[in-house]
Amino acid sequence: MSIFYYIAVWVLLAFSFGAQEFLPAIEFAHQARVLLPPVLFFCSSLSVSFPVMLIFAFFTGFVWDARHLPYRPDKVKFSDTSEMAMNGHAEKREHSRGNLPPGYSIVLFGALGTVMQGIRPLFKRGRWELPVVMVGVATFVWLLIEYLLMSFLRSRFYFPEGLWTKITTDALLAMLAAPLLLYCLHSIARVLRFEARSEGLTLRFHGS
């Protein structure tokens, strides 16, 4: 029943992009919010095989970039995405030097998804303590690398006052959403009789 579980997770990922548009931002935390598609991807990486994780990384990264990267390279403006823009702190550029290249999110999601694969046995056992923490860590690392890439491409490393507050709050919100998403994935796996195998890029846990 693996194929049905993979299809169900893909449908959830696709739905999460629509749901993201309706999630409110927290104004006092510099517009931080739950970044639902990335968080769901990190959670799903705990249950699917490595090749399927890479497919999900491609899908999530492709749609995320298509939704958030600027459309006109000749007049680049840092979109207020995951957190390239720090709401008012991102500067406008009249050339494409500071524009993040399409596909960068695919690479980041693939790399972080590979890290998440290492604790797949915990998902199988229903132990979510470390996975929840790792979802927060992966979200923090993703946002930080994204901002560093943006700073590198514009040849100026500037860390606005609200940067760390926003990234940290996004990571904490990801950790709050992770248990609900993991429970949803675990329930779908149980209904479809899907078992998260421990082969591939996984760590060995005693008793798993």
Side-chain angles (χ1 to χ4, degrees), residues 36-120:
L36 188 57
V39 174
L40 180 56
F41 165 74
F42 294 138
C43 290
S44 64
S45 297
L46 295 167
S47 61
V48 300
S49 64
F50 183 68
V52 175
M53 182 278 294
L54 292 180
I55 294 174
F56 286 166
F58 179 85
F59 172 77
T60 306
F62 179 83
V63 178
W64 187 264
D65 287 351
R67 170 63 181 85
H68 294 292
L69 288 182
Y71 291 101
R72 297 184 58 189
D74 58 325
K75 291 193 177 288
V76 173
K77 147 177 118 162
F78 289 115
S79 64
D80 89 34
T81 83
S82 32
E83 328 316 278
M84 298 186 336
M86 306 306 136
N87 294 283
H89 294 292
E91 63 175 355
K92 295 182 179 180
R93 305 285 294 207
E94 293 302 320
H95 52 79
S96 61
R97 186 178 183 183
N99 188 17
L100 288 170
Y104 83 97
S105 292
I106 298 175
V107 177
L108 289 181
F109 287 142
L112 293 171
T114 300
V115 175
M116 299 298 291
Q117 284 267 300
I119 54 175
R120 287 178 64 197

Coordinates of all heavy atoms in Angstrom, one line a residue, residues 36-120:
L36 N 3.8 26.2 6.3 CA 3.1 24.9 6.2 C 3.8 24.0 5.2 O 4.1 22.8 5.6 CB 1.6 25.1 6.0 CG 0.8 23.8 6.1 CD1 1.0 23.2 7.5 CD2 -0.7 24.1 5.9
P37 N 4.0 24.3 3.9 CA 4.5 23.4 3.0 C 5.9 22.8 3.4 O 6.1 21.6 3.4 CB 4.5 24.1 1.7 CG 3.5 25.2 1.8 CD 3.5 25.6 3.3
P38 N 6.9 23.7 3.8 CA 8.2 23.2 4.2 C 8.1 22.3 5.4 O 8.7 21.3 5.5 CB 9.0 24.5 4.5 CG 8.3 25.5 3.6 CD 6.9 25.2 3.7
V39 N 7.3 22.7 6.4 CA 7.1 21.9 7.6 C 6.5 20.6 7.3 O 7.0 19.5 7.9 CB 6.3 22.7 8.7 CG1 6.1 21.8 9.9 CG2 7.0 24.0 9.1
L40 N 5.5 20.5 6.5 CA 4.9 19.2 6.1 C 5.9 18.4 5.3 O 6.0 17.2 5.5 CB 3.7 19.5 5.3 CG 2.9 18.2 4.8 CD1 2.6 17.3 5.9 CD2 1.7 18.6 4.0
F41 N 6.7 19.0 4.5 CA 7.8 18.3 3.8 C 8.8 17.6 4.8 O 9.1 16.5 4.6 CB 8.5 19.2 2.8 CG 9.8 18.5 2.3 CD1 9.8 17.5 1.4 CD2 11.0 19.0 2.8 CE1 11.0 16.9 1.0 CE2 12.2 18.4 2.4 CZ 12.2 17.3 1.4
F42 N 9.2 18.4 5.7 CA 10.2 17.9 6.7 C 9.6 16.7 7.5 O 10.2 15.7 7.8 CB 10.6 19.0 7.7 CG 11.4 20.1 7.0 CD1 11.2 21.4 7.3 CD2 12.4 19.7 6.1 CE1 12.0 22.4 6.7 CE2 13.2 20.7 5.5 CZ 13.0 22.1 5.8
C43 N 8.3 16.9 7.8 CA 7.6 15.8 8.6 C 7.5 14.5 7.7 O 7.7 13.4 8.1 CB 6.2 16.2 9.0 SG 6.3 17.5 10.4
S44 N 7.1 14.7 6.4 CA 6.9 13.6 5.5 C 8.2 12.9 5.2 O 8.2 11.7 4.9 CB 6.2 14.0 4.3 OG 7.0 14.9 3.5
S45 N 9.3 13.6 5.3 CA 10.6 13.0 5.0 C 11.0 11.9 6.1 O 11.8 11.1 5.8 CB 11.7 14.1 5.1 OG 11.5 15.0 4.1
L46 N 10.3 11.9 7.2 CA 10.5 10.9 8.2 C 9.9 9.6 7.9 O 10.2 8.6 8.5 CB 10.0 11.4 9.6 CG 10.6 12.7 10.2 CD1 9.8 13.2 11.3 CD2 12.0 12.3 10.7
S47 N 9.0 9.6 6.9 CA 8.2 8.3 6.7 C 8.4 7.7 5.3 O 8.3 6.5 5.1 CB 6.7 8.6 6.9 OG 6.3 9.6 5.9
V48 N 8.8 8.5 4.3 CA 8.9 8.0 3.0 C 10.4 7.5 2.7 O 11.3 7.9 3.4 CB 8.5 9.1 1.9 CG1 7.1 9.5 2.2 CG2 9.5 10.3 2.0
S49 N 10.5 6.8 1.6 CA 11.9 6.3 1.2 C 12.7 7.5 0.7 O 12.2 8.5 0.3 CB 11.7 5.2 0.2 OG 11.2 5.7 -1.0
F50 N 14.0 7.2 0.6 CA 14.9 8.3 0.1 C 14.5 8.8 -1.3 O 14.5 10.0 -1.5 CB 16.3 7.8 0.2 CG 17.3 8.9 -0.2 CD1 17.5 10.0 0.6 CD2 18.1 8.7 -1.4 CE1 18.5 11.0 0.2 CE2 19.0 9.7 -1.8 CZ 19.2 10.8 -1.0
P51 N 14.3 7.9 -2.3 CA 14.0 8.4 -3.6 C 12.7 9.2 -3.6 O 12.6 10.2 -4.3 CB 13.8 7.1 -4.5 CG 14.6 6.1 -3.7 CD 14.5 6.4 -2.3
V52 N 11.7 8.7 -2.9 CA 10.4 9.5 -2.8 C 10.6 10.8 -2.1 O 10.0 11.8 -2.5 CB 9.3 8.6 -2.1 CG1 8.1 9.5 -1.9 CG2 9.0 7.4 -2.8
M53 N 11.5 10.9 -1.1 CA 11.8 12.1 -0.4 C 12.3 13.1 -1.4 O 12.0 14.3 -1.4 CB 12.7 11.9 0.7 CG 13.1 13.2 1.5 SD 14.4 14.2 0.8 CE 15.8 13.1 0.9
L54 N 13.2 12.7 -2.3 CA 13.8 13.6 -3.3 C 12.7 14.1 -4.3 O 12.8 15.2 -4.7 CB 14.9 12.8 -4.1 CG 16.2 12.5 -3.3 CD1 17.2 11.7 -4.2 CD2 16.8 13.7 -2.7
I55 N 11.8 13.2 -4.6 CA 10.7 13.6 -5.5 C 9.9 14.7 -4.8 O 9.5 15.8 -5.4 CB 9.8 12.5 -5.9 CG1 10.6 11.5 -6.8 CG2 8.6 12.9 -6.6 CD1 9.8 10.2 -7.1
F56 N 9.6 14.5 -3.5 CA 8.8 15.5 -2.7 C 9.6 16.8 -2.6 O 9.0 17.9 -2.6 CB 8.5 14.9 -1.4 CG 7.3 13.9 -1.4 CD1 7.1 13.1 -0.3 CD2 6.5 13.8 -2.5 CE1 6.1 12.2 -0.3 CE2 5.5 12.8 -2.5 CZ 5.3 12.0 -1.4
A57 N 10.9 16.7 -2.4 CA 11.8 17.9 -2.3 C 11.7 18.7 -3.6 O 11.7 19.9 -3.6 CB 13.2 17.5 -2.0
F58 N 11.8 18.0 -4.8 CA 11.7 18.7 -6.0 C 10.3 19.4 -6.2 O 10.2 20.5 -6.6 CB 11.8 17.7 -7.2 CG 11.7 18.3 -8.5 CD1 12.8 18.9 -9.1 CD2 10.5 18.3 -9.2 CE1 12.7 19.5 -10.4 CE2 10.4 18.9 -10.5 CZ 11.5 19.5 -11.1
F59 N 9.2 18.7 -5.8 CA 7.9 19.3 -6.0 C 7.7 20.5 -5.0 O 7.3 21.5 -5.4 CB 6.8 18.2 -5.6 CG 5.4 18.8 -5.5 CD1 4.7 19.1 -6.7 CD2 4.8 19.0 -4.3 CE1 3.4 19.6 -6.6 CE2 3.6 19.5 -4.2 CZ 2.9 19.8 -5.4
T60 N 8.1 20.3 -3.8 CA 8.0 21.4 -2.8 C 8.8 22.6 -3.1 O 8.4 23.7 -3.1 CB 8.3 20.9 -1.4 OG1 7.6 19.7 -1.1 CG2 8.0 21.9 -0.3
G61 N 10.1 22.3 -3.5 CA 11.0 23.4 -3.9 C 10.5 24.1 -5.1 O 10.6 25.4 -5.2
F62 N 10.1 23.4 -6.1 CA 9.7 24.0 -7.4 C 8.5 24.9 -7.2 O 8.4 26.0 -7.7 CB 9.3 22.8 -8.4 CG 8.9 23.4 -9.7 CD1 9.8 23.8 -10.7 CD2 7.5 23.4 -10.0 CE1 9.3 24.2 -11.9 CE2 7.1 23.9 -11.2 CZ 8.0 24.3 -12.2
V63 N 7.5 24.4 -6.5 CA 6.2 25.2 -6.3 C 6.5 26.4 -5.4 O 6.0 27.5 -5.6 CB 5.1 24.3 -5.7 CG1 3.9 25.1 -5.4 CG2 4.8 23.1 -6.6
W64 N 7.4 26.2 -4.4 CA 7.7 27.3 -3.5 C 8.4 28.4 -4.2 O 8.1 29.6 -4.0 CB 8.6 26.7 -2.3 CG 8.9 27.8 -1.3 CD1 9.9 28.6 -1.2 CD2 8.0 28.1 -0.2 NE1 9.8 29.4 0.0 CE2 8.6 29.1 0.6 CE3 6.8 27.6 0.3 CZ2 8.1 29.7 1.7 CZ3 6.2 28.1 1.4 CH2 6.9 29.2 2.1
D65 N 9.4 28.0 -5.1 CA 10.1 29.1 -5.9 C 9.2 29.7 -6.9 O 9.2 30.9 -7.1 CB 11.3 28.4 -6.6 CG 12.4 28.1 -5.7 OD1 12.4 28.5 -4.5 OD2 13.4 27.4 -6.1
A66 N 8.3 28.9 -7.5 CA 7.4 29.5 -8.5 C 6.4 30.5 -7.8 O 6.0 31.5 -8.4 CB 6.6 28.4 -9.1
R67 N 6.1 30.2 -6.6 CA 5.2 31.1 -5.8 C 5.8 32.3 -5.3 O 5.2 33.4 -5.3 CB 4.5 30.3 -4.7 CG 3.7 31.1 -3.7 CD 2.5 31.8 -4.4 NE 1.8 32.6 -3.4 CZ 2.1 33.9 -3.2 NH1 3.1 34.5 -3.7 NH2 1.3 34.6 -2.3
H68 N 7.1 32.3 -4.9 CA 7.7 33.4 -4.2 C 8.8 34.1 -4.9 O 9.1 35.2 -4.5 CB 8.2 32.8 -2.8 CG 7.2 32.4 -1.9 ND1 6.3 33.2 -1.3 CD2 6.9 31.1 -1.5 CE1 5.4 32.5 -0.6 NE2 5.8 31.2 -0.6
L69 N 9.5 33.5 -5.9 CA 10.5 34.3 -6.5 C 10.0 35.3 -7.5 O 8.9 35.1 -8.0 CB 11.4 33.3 -7.3 CG 12.4 32.4 -6.4 CD1 13.2 31.6 -7.3 CD2 13.2 33.3 -5.5
P70 N 10.7 36.4 -7.7 CA 10.2 37.5 -8.6 C 10.0 36.9 -10.0 O 10.8 36.1 -10.4 CB 11.2 38.6 -8.5 CG 11.9 38.3 -7.2 CD 11.9 36.8 -7.0
Y71 N 9.1 37.5 -10.7 CA 8.8 37.1 -12.1 C 9.7 37.8 -13.1 O 9.9 37.3 -14.2 CB 7.4 37.2 -12.4 CG 6.5 36.3 -11.7 CD1 5.7 36.8 -10.6 CD2 6.3 35.0 -12.0 CE1 4.9 35.9 -9.9 CE2 5.5 34.1 -11.3 CZ 4.8 34.6 -10.3 OH 4.0 33.8 -9.6
R72 N 10.1 39.0 -12.8 CA 10.8 39.8 -13.8 C 12.3 40.0 -13.3 O 12.5 40.7 -12.4 CB 10.2 41.2 -14.0 CG 8.8 41.1 -14.5 CD 8.2 42.5 -14.8 NE 9.1 43.2 -15.7 CZ 8.9 44.5 -15.9 NH1 8.0 45.2 -15.4 NH2 9.7 45.2 -16.8
P73 N 13.2 39.3 -13.9 CA 14.6 39.4 -13.5 C 15.2 40.8 -13.7 O 16.2 41.1 -13.1 CB 15.3 38.4 -14.4 CG 14.5 38.2 -15.6 CD 13.1 38.4 -15.1
D74 N 14.6 41.6 -14.6 CA 15.2 42.9 -14.9 C 14.8 43.9 -13.8 O 15.4 45.0 -13.6 CB 14.7 43.5 -16.2 CG 13.2 43.5 -16.3 OD1 12.6 42.7 -15.7 OD2 12.7 44.5 -17.0
K75 N 13.7 43.6 -13.0 CA 13.3 44.5 -11.9 C 13.1 43.6 -10.7 O 12.0 43.2 -10.5 CB 12.1 45.3 -12.3 CG 12.4 46.4 -13.4 CD 11.2 47.3 -13.5 CE 11.5 48.4 -14.5 NZ 12.5 49.4 -14.0
V76 N 14.1 43.4 -10.0 CA 14.1 42.4 -8.9 C 13.7 43.1 -7.6 O 14.2 44.1 -7.3 CB 15.4 41.7 -8.7 CG1 15.4 40.8 -7.5 CG2 15.7 40.9 -9.9
K77 N 12.7 42.5 -7.0 CA 12.4 43.0 -5.7 C 12.3 41.7 -4.8 O 11.8 40.7 -5.1 CB 11.0 43.6 -5.7 CG 10.2 43.5 -4.6 CD 8.9 44.3 -4.8 CE 7.7 43.4 -4.8 NZ 6.5 44.1 -4.6
F78 N 12.9 41.8 -3.6 CA 13.0 40.7 -2.7 C 11.6 40.4 -2.2 O 11.0 41.2 -1.5 CB 13.9 40.9 -1.5 CG 15.3 40.9 -2.0 CD1 16.1 42.1 -1.9 CD2 15.9 39.8 -2.5 CE1 17.4 42.1 -2.3 CE2 17.2 39.8 -2.9 CZ 18.0 40.9 -2.8
S79 N 11.0 39.3 -2.6 CA 9.7 39.0 -2.2 C 9.6 38.7 -0.7 O 10.5 38.4 -0.1 CB 9.2 37.7 -3.0 OG 10.0 36.6 -2.6
D80 N 8.4 38.9 -0.2 CA 8.2 38.7 1.2 C 7.9 37.2 1.4 O 6.8 36.9 1.8 CB 7.3 39.7 1.8 CG 6.0 39.5 1.8 OD1 6.0 38.6 2.0 OD2 5.0 40.0 1.8
T81 N 8.8 36.3 1.1 CA 8.6 34.9 1.2 C 9.1 34.5 2.6 O 9.2 35.3 3.4 CB 9.5 34.2 0.3 OG1 10.7 34.1 0.8 CG2 9.5 34.7 -1.1
S82 N 9.3 33.2 2.6 CA 9.8 32.6 3.8 C 10.6 33.6 4.5 O 10.8 33.7 5.5 CB 10.6 31.4 3.5 OG 11.3 31.4 2.4
E83 N 11.2 34.3 4.0 CA 11.8 35.1 4.9 C 13.1 35.7 4.3 O 14.0 35.8 5.0 CB 12.0 34.4 6.2 CG 10.9 33.5 6.4 CD 9.6 33.7 6.1 OE1 8.9 34.2 6.9 OE2 9.0 33.3 5.2
M84 N 12.8 35.9 3.1 CA 13.9 36.6 2.4 C 13.6 38.0 2.8 O 14.6 38.8 2.9 CB 13.8 36.4 0.9 CG 14.0 35.0 0.5 SD 14.0 34.6 -1.2 CE 13.2 35.9 -1.9
A85 N 12.5 38.4 3.0 CA 12.2 39.9 3.1 C 12.0 40.4 4.5 O 11.4 40.7 4.7 CB 10.9 40.2 2.4
M86 N 12.0 40.1 5.5 CA 12.0 40.7 6.8 C 11.1 42.0 6.9 O 11.4 42.9 7.6 CB 13.4 41.1 7.3 CG 14.3 40.0 7.3 SD 13.7 38.6 8.2 CE 14.1 37.3 7.2
N87 N 10.1 42.0 6.0 CA 9.1 43.0 6.0 C 9.6 44.4 6.2 O 9.6 45.0 7.2 CB 8.1 42.7 7.1 CG 7.3 41.5 6.7 OD1 6.5 41.4 5.9 ND2 7.7 40.4 7.4
G88 N 10.0 45.0 5.1 CA 10.4 46.3 5.1 C 11.9 46.5 5.1 O 12.4 47.5 4.8
H89 N 12.6 45.4 5.5 CA 14.1 45.5 5.5 C 14.7 45.1 4.2 O 15.9 45.3 4.0 CB 14.6 44.6 6.7 CG 14.2 45.1 8.0 ND1 14.6 46.3 8.6 CD2 13.3 44.6 8.9 CE1 14.1 46.5 9.8 NE2 13.3 45.5 10.0
A90 N 14.0 44.4 3.4 CA 14.6 43.9 2.1 C 14.6 45.1 1.2 O 13.7 45.8 1.0 CB 13.8 42.8 1.6
E91 N 15.8 45.2 0.5 CA 15.9 46.4 -0.4 C 15.5 46.0 -1.8 O 15.6 44.8 -2.2 CB 17.3 46.9 -0.4 CG 18.3 45.9 -0.9 CD 19.7 46.4 -1.0 OE1 19.9 47.6 -0.7 OE2 20.6 45.7 -1.3
K92 N 15.1 47.0 -2.6 CA 14.8 46.7 -4.0 C 16.0 46.9 -4.8 O 16.8 47.8 -4.6 CB 13.7 47.7 -4.5 CG 12.4 47.5 -3.8 CD 11.4 48.5 -4.3 CE 10.0 48.2 -3.6 NZ 9.0 49.2 -4.1
R93 N 16.2 46.0 -5.8 CA 17.3 46.1 -6.7 C 16.8 46.2 -8.2 O 15.8 45.7 -8.5 CB 18.1 44.8 -6.6 CG 18.6 44.4 -5.2 CD 19.7 45.3 -4.7 NE 20.9 45.0 -5.5 CZ 22.1 45.2 -5.1 NH1 22.3 45.6 -3.8 NH2 23.2 44.9 -5.8
E94 N 17.6 47.0 -8.9 CA 17.2 47.2 -10.3 C 17.9 46.3 -11.3 O 17.9 46.4 -12.5 CB 17.4 48.7 -10.7 CG 16.6 49.6 -10.0 CD 15.1 49.4 -10.2 OE1 14.7 49.0 -11.4 OE2 14.3 49.5 -9.3
H95 N 18.7 45.3 -10.8 CA 19.3 44.3 -11.6 C 19.2 43.0 -10.9 O 18.7 42.9 -9.8 CB 20.8 44.7 -11.8 CG 21.5 44.9 -10.6 ND1 22.0 43.9 -9.8 CD2 21.9 46.1 -10.0 CE1 22.6 44.4 -8.7 NE2 22.6 45.7 -8.8
S96 N 19.5 41.9 -11.6 CA 19.2 40.6 -11.1 C 20.3 40.0 -10.2 O 20.3 38.8 -9.9 CB 19.0 39.6 -12.3 OG 20.2 39.6 -13.1
R97 N 21.3 40.7 -9.9 CA 22.5 40.2 -9.1 C 22.0 39.6 -7.8 O 22.5 38.6 -7.3 CB 23.5 41.3 -8.9 CG 24.8 40.8 -8.3 CD 25.8 41.9 -8.1 NE 27.0 41.4 -7.6 CZ 28.1 42.1 -7.3 NH1 28.0 43.4 -7.5 NH2 29.1 41.6 -6.8
G98 N 21.1 40.3 -7.1 CA 20.7 39.8 -5.8 C 19.5 38.8 -5.9 O 19.0 38.4 -4.8
N99 N 19.1 38.4 -7.1 CA 18.0 37.5 -7.2 C 18.4 36.1 -6.9 O 19.3 35.5 -7.5 CB 17.4 37.6 -8.6 CG 16.1 36.9 -8.7 OD1 15.5 36.5 -7.8 ND2 15.7 36.6 -10.0
L100 N 17.7 35.4 -6.0 CA 18.0 34.0 -5.8 C 17.6 33.2 -7.0 O 16.5 33.4 -7.6 CB 17.2 33.5 -4.6 CG 17.7 34.0 -3.2 CD1 16.7 33.7 -2.1 CD2 19.1 33.4 -2.9
P101 N 18.4 32.2 -7.4 CA 18.1 31.5 -8.7 C 17.0 30.5 -8.5 O 16.8 29.9 -7.4 CB 19.5 30.7 -8.9 CG 20.1 30.6 -7.6 CD 19.7 31.8 -6.8
P102 N 16.2 30.3 -9.5 CA 15.1 29.3 -9.4 C 15.7 27.9 -9.2 O 16.7 27.6 -9.8 CB 14.4 29.4 -10.8 CG 14.8 30.8 -11.3 CD 16.1 31.1 -10.8
G103 N 15.1 27.2 -8.3 CA 15.6 25.8 -8.0 C 16.4 25.7 -6.8 O 16.8 24.6 -6.3
Y104 N 16.8 26.9 -6.2 CA 17.6 26.8 -5.0 C 16.9 26.1 -3.8 O 17.5 25.4 -3.0 CB 18.0 28.2 -4.5 CG 17.0 29.0 -3.7 CD1 17.1 29.0 -2.3 CD2 16.0 29.6 -4.4 CE1 16.1 29.7 -1.6 CE2 15.0 30.3 -3.6 CZ 15.1 30.3 -2.2 OH 14.1 31.0 -1.5
S105 N 15.6 26.3 -3.8 CA 14.8 25.6 -2.7 C 14.8 24.1 -2.9 O 14.8 23.4 -1.9 CB 13.4 26.1 -2.7 OG 13.3 27.5 -2.3
I106 N 14.9 23.6 -4.1 CA 14.9 22.2 -4.3 C 16.1 21.6 -3.7 O 16.1 20.5 -3.0 CB 14.9 21.9 -5.8 CG1 13.5 22.4 -6.5 CG2 15.0 20.4 -6.1 CD1 13.5 22.2 -8.0
V107 N 17.3 22.3 -3.9 CA 18.5 21.8 -3.3 C 18.5 21.8 -1.8 O 18.9 20.9 -1.1 CB 19.7 22.7 -3.8 CG1 21.0 22.2 -3.2 CG2 19.8 22.6 -5.4
L108 N 18.0 22.9 -1.2 CA 17.9 23.0 0.2 C 17.0 22.0 0.8 O 17.4 21.3 1.8 CB 17.4 24.4 0.6 CG 18.4 25.6 0.4 CD1 17.8 26.9 0.9 CD2 19.7 25.4 1.1
F109 N 15.8 21.8 0.2 CA 14.9 20.8 0.8 C 15.5 19.4 0.6 O 15.3 18.5 1.5 CB 13.6 20.9 0.0 CG 12.7 22.1 0.4 CD1 12.0 22.8 -0.5 CD2 12.7 22.5 1.8 CE1 11.2 23.9 -0.1 CE2 12.0 23.6 2.1 CZ 11.2 24.3 1.2
G110 N 16.2 19.1 -0.5 CA 16.8 17.8 -0.7 C 17.8 17.5 0.4 O 17.9 16.4 0.9
A111 N 18.7 18.5 0.7 CA 19.7 18.4 1.6 C 19.2 18.2 3.1 O 19.6 17.3 3.8 CB 20.7 19.5 1.6
L112 N 18.2 19.0 3.4 CA 17.6 18.9 4.8 C 16.7 17.7 4.9 O 16.7 17.1 6.0 CB 16.8 20.2 5.1 CG 17.7 21.5 5.2 CD1 16.8 22.7 5.3 CD2 18.6 21.3 6.5
G113 N 16.1 17.3 3.8 CA 15.3 16.1 3.8 C 16.2 14.9 4.1 O 15.8 13.9 4.7
T114 N 17.4 14.9 3.5 CA 18.3 13.8 3.7 C 18.7 13.7 5.2 O 18.8 12.6 5.7 CB 19.6 14.0 2.9 OG1 19.2 14.1 1.5 CG2 20.6 12.9 3.1
V115 N 18.9 14.8 5.8 CA 19.2 14.8 7.3 C 18.0 14.2 8.1 O 18.2 13.4 9.0 CB 19.5 16.2 7.8 CG1 19.6 16.2 9.3 CG2 20.7 16.8 7.1
M116 N 16.8 14.6 7.7 CA 15.6 14.1 8.4 C 15.4 12.6 8.2 O 14.9 11.9 9.1 CB 14.3 14.8 7.9 CG 14.3 16.3 8.1 SD 14.3 16.8 9.8 CE 12.7 16.2 10.4
Q117 N 15.9 12.1 7.1 CA 15.9 10.6 6.8 C 16.6 9.8 7.9 O 16.3 8.7 8.1 CB 16.5 10.3 5.4 CG 15.6 10.7 4.3 CD 14.7 9.6 3.8 OE1 15.2 8.5 3.4 NE2 13.4 9.8 3.9
G118 N 17.6 10.5 8.5 CA 18.4 9.7 9.5 C 17.6 9.3 10.8 O 18.1 8.5 11.5
I119 N 16.5 9.9 11.0 CA 15.7 9.6 12.2 C 14.4 8.9 11.9 O 13.4 9.0 12.6 CB 15.5 10.8 13.1 CG1 14.8 12.0 12.3 CG2 16.8 11.3 13.7 CD1 14.5 13.1 13.2
R120 N 14.3 8.3 10.7 CA 13.1 7.6 10.3 C 12.6 6.5 11.2 O 11.4 6.4 11.5 CB 13.2 7.0 8.9 CG 13.3 8.1 7.8 CD 13.5 7.4 6.4 NE 12.4 6.5 6.1 CZ 12.5 5.5 5.2 NH1 13.6 5.3 4.5 NH2 11.4 4.8 4.9

